[in-house]
Amino acid sequence: MNDPDAGGAGRSWAETAPLSAVALRVNDEVRRLEVDPRTSLLDALREHLHLSGTKKGCDHGQCGACTVLINGRRVNSCLTLAVMHEDDEIVTIEGLGDLDSLHAMQRSFVERDGFQCGYCTPGQICSAVGMLAEVGAGWPSHATADVASPRIALTDEEIRERMSGNICRCAAYPNIVAAIRAVAKAGTQ
Amino acid sequence: MIGQPLDRIDGPLKVTGQAIYAYEHWEPGQPLYGVIVGATVGKGRITRIDTDSAEHAPGVRMVMTHRNAPEQGARDESVPMEYWRAQPVLTSPDIHYHGEPVALVVAETLEQARAAAALVHVEYAAGRGRFDFAAYEDEAYAPKEANGGFPTDTEVGDFDTGFSTADVRIDQRYTTPYELSMPMELHACLVQPRGEDLIVYVSCQIVDAALASIASTLRIDPARIYIITPFVGGGFGSKLGIHAETILAAIAARALREPVKVALTRQQIFQLVGMRPTSSQRVRLGAGRDGRLVAVAHDVTMATNPDIEFAEQTAATTRSLYAAPHRLTTHRLTPLDLPRGADVRAPGEAPGLLAVESAMDELADALGIDPVELRIRNEPAVDPESGVPFSDRHLVECLREGARRFGWEHRPTTPASMREGRWLVGYGMAAAIRKHFQGQATVRVRLEADGTAVVQTDMTDIGTGTYTILTQVAADGLGLPPERVRIELGRSELPTSWGSGGSWGAANSSTATHRACVAVREKLLVTACGDTGSPLHGLDPAEAVFAEGSVRIGGADEALSEILARNHPDGVQAEGETRFMGDDPNYAAYSIHTYGAHFAEVGVDADTAEIRLRRMLGVFSVGRVLNPKTTRSQLIGGMIWGVGAALQEEAVVDLRSGAFVNRDLAQYLMPVHADIPDVDAVVLDGYDDKANVLGMKGVGELGICGAGPAIANAVFNATGVRVRDFPITLEKVLPGLPLMDT
């Protein structure tokens, strides 16, 4: 590898770095890629697999638009490299449901108008699905009154606290919370 | 269908990730990736650029700087609206503001372009920039007019005399910070060259403006440019025009003969797309002991970029809000070497009402009059400056209905007197008013032979619900079920409109759609009533009713599909138009606004001064509502912007460099889920027959108008501390908090 500061022909280390092969399991399908090792999972999804439902809002882990589920847990896909996810089970918004069979959370977002421009929406929905699983598993949050309790009541405060990594500039927050609440309620009946 | 809470037509596409935004189109094939390099000084001149390393970096196809950028059209102020003007970039070695583009690097992958961009070596001779608004506030000048065509200054009666003889006087200065639109979708553009044509996928609010701006900057025939923007991930003003990403993508794609896409980084969006200027606002209110205003003055000084003047219409709202015989409003600008000022959601009204509605609360407190009652006492009979009648003013109803629903009677009349545990609790309210604008729009409606309707316009849907409401308008207009209406938006070959912005998009495009439907109906009736083969033959077209895919006149009816099959095998189409307000006499004869009243309850931590919004209600009057579901969403969204303006949002300038120091979403604070409790919006039934044939007005910006001061006033009611320097953050409240028994 060349030292980037060594000057010479002005070539960066990346020129000699080979592409990295990685097999991603995305939405139940194995996708083999050869990517620049610097490629984020987000850019691999969007620019290589053309799964543009996962959105880039800040590329910095600050907005949540790129949220996907990795082995069932929500992750900001802009903050992790594609090559780190060999054999991981990745679910994107496209894998949750499609136009013919919407996921309950997708349908609830439509019914409650949990979005306007739609750009943060895939991240909100993936995050909501992952969040409900976290609550179901008994993980406490800053809003949990009794962190020792094995069962967590899904109050609106819990939803808001746990969804705060997903920014919506259209500010559909009250409708998003209503959409999540409706799904959670239906799931417990 | 009009008035029904129809789910968004584009909802399923958006929740499944199938809605395609500008950077995501793959029709052109594999594009090249462009990354913009920005200046690291706020004022000065490039003395040396070394692009050699970048040019030789892997995958790099082009490095463009001012040295090799093509000559571009100049920004032409004779073009009436800024967003239609040329936006040249990389034109000289001079640096006008921190972050100004100094290079574009294009490479085969994003990773290569980003790495190579870091290799562009730039040296500057830094100049002495003017970055500190407070230091130059006194050097302000009067612009020729304020944004939106409002006069710079207005005067009615004799303010000085009226104010000096008033029983009670409020004379306070309020300051508001730089704020940004910050749509969630990054500003992005993908350009595909095809022969001499450019196909431009761009995130923008106004297709026609993007087209004109690209054509005049690149100096090419507008007929050679095709804009495509079916989905836009939010705009809020910053996408009214196109910016460096679009111009640079277009130049690079033309030069390289390949598709090129460029997105601004989130950090660059703080520098390159315009911002709400910081303001210093002096508000003077003089009133009698009965609370009736005798004198109102609103004097505003703001920052502006020296080359691209922008005077936010911050005092304009005050001109129509309350009655008073003596009135004065002024706008002044002081040039700073900072990014351009630009329209950010509710330009003028949002910062102006922060000041004026805070001052009204101060007046209510000084008089010992309930803030709702004070506003009702100052309700004008006619527009207090122009003297023309209001078209459909229901501010008082909004105030009364909001007070009733919110439980305003439980408000503590003495500040800092309600405590719940560690929380000081307070109620606040403010009025909302926003001028309704009307702009040009043309819509084509085509009834196909199979009885489906296609609505076509270059209008955009930036989250505002255009697809949905035009479906409703056309369904009603032609008597069709909504599933038989298809909406086509956001392409430059479609009939032109002034797009989304200024809260005019819905009314402009809906009215034009309605008119096009009327014209289609007339064509169908002429043929059907004149067709001996039709059961409608010889009947009176004026009696016709279009419903459920049929035309009925009296007891006779015929399906649209049969009329079409017999007389119009290729379908029927017609265009409808909405005129610019300057050509519509109603907009001179009447003062046409939307109204509202905001009510907020906050808790302030008695020890730390942490401020938490507890609940908020807005009651609005907007004329007729096309879709109560999407309308409520937009109003709530606006109200939450008001929460940000009151408590969080502020882009902070480094006074040494002219850089925004908090240029990312972790440091420029906007409301997130945890900040927003129950927020609700209620809309009064209405119909403004002076606004347009549908009786509707815009709602996109009304929600933010007055929302911020309602919260500010609640903070005062909770704590007795009046903060006049927005946003209201805890360190400004803490020193004034009452000492409490523990």
Side-chain angles (χ1 to χ4, degrees):
Chain A
M1 298 270 170
N2 293 338
D3 180 343
D5 297 318
R11 301 190 160 190
S12 72
W13 65 273
E15 184 169 12
T16 53
L19 294 179
S20 299
V22 61
L24 298 175
R25 289 199 296 165
V26 183
N27 303 330
D28 287 331
E29 212 180 308
V30 177
R31 309 290 297 266
R32 294 180 197 287
L33 292 175
E34 295 229 315
V35 295
D36 186 316
R38 298 168 295 185
T39 305
S40 68
L41 177 59
L42 172 61
D43 287 328
L45 293 171
R46 286 169 62 83
E47 305 303 326
H48 294 262
L49 300 178
H50 300 187
L51 290 170
S52 55
T54 306
K55 302 302 184 191
K56 182 180 284 190
C58 72
D59 218 11
H60 232 62
Q62 297 174 341
C63 77
C66 66
T67 305
V68 298
L69 298 170
I70 301 181
N71 303 327
R73 289 180 58 178
R74 44 191 180 146
V75 170
N76 283 334
S77 62
C78 72
L79 288 186
T80 189
L81 298 172
V83 293
M84 295 162 65
H85 295 285
E86 182 90 30
D87 293 331
D88 282 340
E89 195 69 60
I90 299 162
V91 176
T92 70
I93 191 70
E94 292 91 345
L96 279 184
D98 57 28
L99 290 175
D100 297 327
S101 58
L102 296 182
H103 184 282
M105 192 66 77
Q106 292 171 321
R107 193 177 316 112
S108 193
F109 267 63
V110 173
E111 288 168 358
R112 307 283 171 151
D113 211 32
F115 55 90
Q116 291 172 45
C117 81
Y119 199 78
C120 75
T121 312
Q124 300 275 358
I125 290 172
C126 287
S127 189
V129 170
M131 183 273 290
L132 290 182
E134 291 162 19
V135 173
W139 297 8
S141 83
H142 173 69
T144 307
D146 177 6
V147 296
S149 169
R151 285 182 62 115
I152 293 167
L154 191 72
T155 60
D156 285 356
E157 287 68 33
E158 283 283 0
I159 297 174
R160 291 179 190 129
E161 171 63 24
R162 290 165 188 266
M163 290 298 295
S164 283
N166 292 86
I167 298 176
C168 173
R169 188 55 159 166
C170 300
Y173 298 125
N175 293 356
I176 293 171
V177 171
I180 296 171
R181 194 196 299 128
V183 171
K185 218 170 178 178
T188 56
Q189 278 166 358
Chain B
M1 285 309 299
I2 289 180
Q4 297 300 307
L6 190 67
D7 287 344
R8 278 174 209 269
I9 296 294
D10 49 339
L13 289 174
K14 285 179 171 173
V15 299
T16 54
Q18 304 301 315
I20 304 300
Y21 299 79
Y23 204 74
E24 302 167 351
H25 290 266
W26 288 97
E27 303 91 302
Q30 178 63 51
L32 300 169
Y33 293 81
V35 169
I36 294 172
V37 180
T40 55
V41 299
K43 175 83 176 170
R45 191 175 173 83
I46 296 168
T47 52
R48 180 169 166 258
I49 292 194
D50 180 354
T51 57
D52 196 53
S53 298
E55 282 164 10
H56 290 91
V60 170
R61 300 287 296 278
M62 166 188 252
V63 179
M64 184 165 43
T65 69
H66 71 275
R67 294 182 311 202
N68 60 345
E71 201 167 318
Q72 297 156 63
R75 184 173 160 273
D76 179 0
E77 294 195 359
S78 72
V79 175
M81 283 187 284
E82 174 65 26
Y83 304 112
W84 274 255
R85 293 174 186 163
Q87 305 290 338
V89 283
L90 304 178
T91 52
S92 86
D94 296 327
I95 302 301
H96 305 85
Y97 57 90
H98 199 278
E100 182 173 1
V102 295
L104 175 78
V105 177
V106 181
E108 284 162 17
T109 70
L110 178 59
E111 293 75 27
Q112 291 169 333
R114 195 164 50 202
L119 299 175
V120 174
H121 179 76
V122 189
E123 291 174 15
Y124 303 92
R128 277 176 61 92
R130 292 160 53 109
F131 307 127
D132 184 358
F133 176 69
Y136 297 103
E137 190 183 334
D138 294 341
E139 297 179 18
Y141 69 92
K144 276 206 270 303
E145 64 174 19
N147 183 44
F150 289 95
T152 304
D153 298 346
T154 58
E155 195 171 358
V156 175
D158 176 357
F159 174 78
D160 287 338
T161 304
F163 185 65
S164 62
T165 56
D167 294 338
V168 178
R169 289 188 291 275
I170 300 293
D171 182 355
Q172 292 292 353
R173 188 173 297 275
Y174 305 84
T175 54
T176 64
Y178 299 102
E179 294 172 349
L180 294 121
S181 295
M182 285 296 133
M184 293 312 296
E185 183 202 7
L186 300 168
H187 287 249
C189 183
L190 162 60
V191 180
Q192 176 190 15
R194 196 169 61 190
E196 289 302 303
D197 295 345
L198 293 179
I199 302 166
V200 180
Y201 303 87
V202 58
S203 186
C204 69
Q205 296 176 226
I206 310 174
V207 165
D208 191 50
L211 182 91
S213 193
I214 296 167
S216 56
T217 310
L218 270 64
R219 301 199 286 198
I220 56 179
D221 180 357
R224 296 217 166 276
I225 299 172
Y226 297 84
I227 308 281
I228 301 174
T229 183
F231 294 98
V232 179
F236 314 114
S238 69
K239 293 176 182 168
L240 287 164
I242 49 96
H243 305 282
E245 76 291 330
T246 302
I247 296 304
L248 291 172
I251 292 173
R254 268 187 111 199
L256 293 165
R257 314 302 309 159
E258 287 186 60
V260 175
K261 62 182 180 181
V262 181
L264 300 184
T265 64
R266 181 56 65 183
Q267 290 79 358
Q268 287 172 334
I269 291 175
F270 282 81
Q271 302 167 317
L272 301 183
V273 305
M275 63 197 180
R276 194 194 300 285
T278 192
S279 75
S280 170
Q281 307 179 43
R282 184 184 185 192
V283 179
R284 286 172 286 173
L285 304 176
R289 298 252 167 242
D290 62 357
R292 285 181 210 286
L293 291 164
V294 292
V296 174
H298 191 177
D299 300 299
V300 184
T301 305
M302 294 164 287
T304 183
N305 177 283
D307 304 307
I308 305 172
E309 182 183 275
F310 180 79
E312 189 167 2
Q313 62 270 43
T314 298
T317 286
T318 309
R319 295 170 183 167
S320 299
L321 183 50
Y322 297 120
H326 306 292
R327 325 173 59 90
L328 181 67
T329 62
T330 65
H331 295 88
R332 297 291 179 270
L333 296 175
T334 194
L336 297 181
D337 298 308
L338 293 173
R340 69 197 306 177
D343 289 297
V344 174
R345 197 174 192 177
E349 301 92 9
L353 286 168
L354 271 175
V356 168
E357 285 295 282
S358 292
M360 282 295 281
D361 201 63
E362 300 206 42
L363 179 63
D365 186 58
L367 287 162
I369 295 176
D370 180 275
V372 173
E373 175 60 25
L374 177 67
R375 287 161 174 87
I376 292 171
R377 285 189 196 173
N378 286 292
E379 176 70 2
V382 295
D383 188 293
E385 287 212 359
S386 65
V388 303
F390 290 107
S391 63
D392 190 46
R393 180 169 166 129
H394 299 288
L395 176 58
V396 171
E397 289 94 319
C398 293
L399 290 163
R400 292 211 163 105
E401 181 67 11
R404 186 184 70 75
R405 287 174 178 255
F406 193 74
W408 181 250
E409 71 273 19
H410 301 302
R411 166 185 177 263
T413 49
T414 306
S417 64
M418 195 198 293
R419 187 156 178 185
E420 289 178 14
R422 62 189 293 164
W423 296 99
L424 295 160
V425 179
Y427 287 19
M429 60 76 55
I433 180 171
R434 186 175 183 283
K435 181 173 171 134
H436 174 70
F437 295 89
Q438 178 172 289
Q440 186 275 331
T442 306
V443 174
R444 180 163 59 228
V445 172
R446 181 175 177 78
L447 192 57
E448 306 278 14
D450 64 0
T452 59
V454 184
V455 178
Q456 296 179 315
T457 168
D458 76 354
M459 172 65 186
T460 48
D461 188 332
I462 63 171
T464 40
T466 314
Y467 284 106
T468 311
I469 58 168
L470 294 191
T471 298
Q472 294 175 268
V473 172
D476 271 9
L478 297 172
L480 293 173
E483 56 272 16
R484 285 172 67 186
V485 177
R486 189 172 82 242
I487 310 296
E488 295 181 5
L489 304 177
R491 295 206 314 270
S492 55
E493 75 264 30
L494 302 178
T496 59
S497 74
W498 288 2
S500 302
S503 299
W504 66 14
N508 293 347
S509 58
S510 296
T511 306
T513 300
H514 172 80
R515 293 199 174 110
C517 290
V518 169
V520 167
R521 279 197 321 234
E522 283 170 359
K523 287 187 181 184
L524 285 169
L525 287 171
V526 165
T527 47
C529 296
D531 176 3
T532 52
S534 169
L536 306 176
H537 179 253
L539 299 177
D540 179 5
E543 302 285 309
V545 175
F546 283 68
E548 291 159 17
S550 293
V551 186
R552 193 174 66 245
I553 304 179
D557 69 85
E558 183 169 34
L560 288 177
S561 55
E562 288 172 33
I563 300 173
L564 287 161
R566 227 176 24 254
N567 302 292
H568 304 279
D570 298 326
V572 178
Q573 71 175 38
E575 289 192 348
E577 195 173 355
T578 304
R579 287 183 296 174
F580 170 56
M581 58 199 286
D583 302 323
D584 184 332
N586 273 1
Y587 284 78
Y590 296 93
S591 178
I592 303 178
H593 290 79
T594 52
Y595 305 92
H598 296 271
F599 295 82
E601 177 185 332
V602 302
V604 180
D605 188 295
D607 296 315
T608 67
E610 177 188 359
I611 303 164
R612 303 291 301 169
L613 178 66
R614 294 179 148 208
R615 63 192 177 105
M616 194 168 180
L617 171 71
V619 175
F620 301 97
S621 169
V622 300
R624 186 187 196 186
V625 168
L626 296 188
N627 182 322
K629 182 176 273 191
T630 56
T631 296
R632 175 177 174 274
S633 294
Q634 240 185 329
L635 288 166
I636 287 175
M639 291 168 69
I640 294 171
W641 271 60
V643 179
L647 302 178
Q648 297 178 310
E649 295 188 37
E650 176 176 23
V652 179
V653 178
D654 180 338
L655 299 180
R656 300 161 302 176
S657 66
F660 286 124
V661 293
N662 56 336
R663 54 181 187 274
D664 65 38
L665 297 181
Q667 300 178 86
Y668 180 86
L669 301 182
M670 315 190 299
V672 300
H673 279 284
D675 299 316
I676 302 304
D678 291 329
V679 174
D680 202 4
V682 172
V683 182
L684 303 179
D685 283 341
Y687 187 95
D688 190 335
D689 65 344
K690 305 301 185 297
N692 51 59
V693 64
L694 294 175
M696 64 179 292
K697 294 179 282 195
V699 302
E701 290 158 293
L702 179 64
I704 182 174
C705 300
I711 293 164
N713 296 338
V715 171
F716 172 77
N717 185 245
T719 63
V721 180
R722 178 72 65 183
V723 176
R724 303 185 183 90
D725 176 32
F726 290 95
I728 304 173
T729 44
L730 76 183
E731 81 281 5
K732 298 174 190 172
V733 177
L734 191 59
L737 277 192
L739 290 174
M740 293 284 178
D741 297 331
T742 52

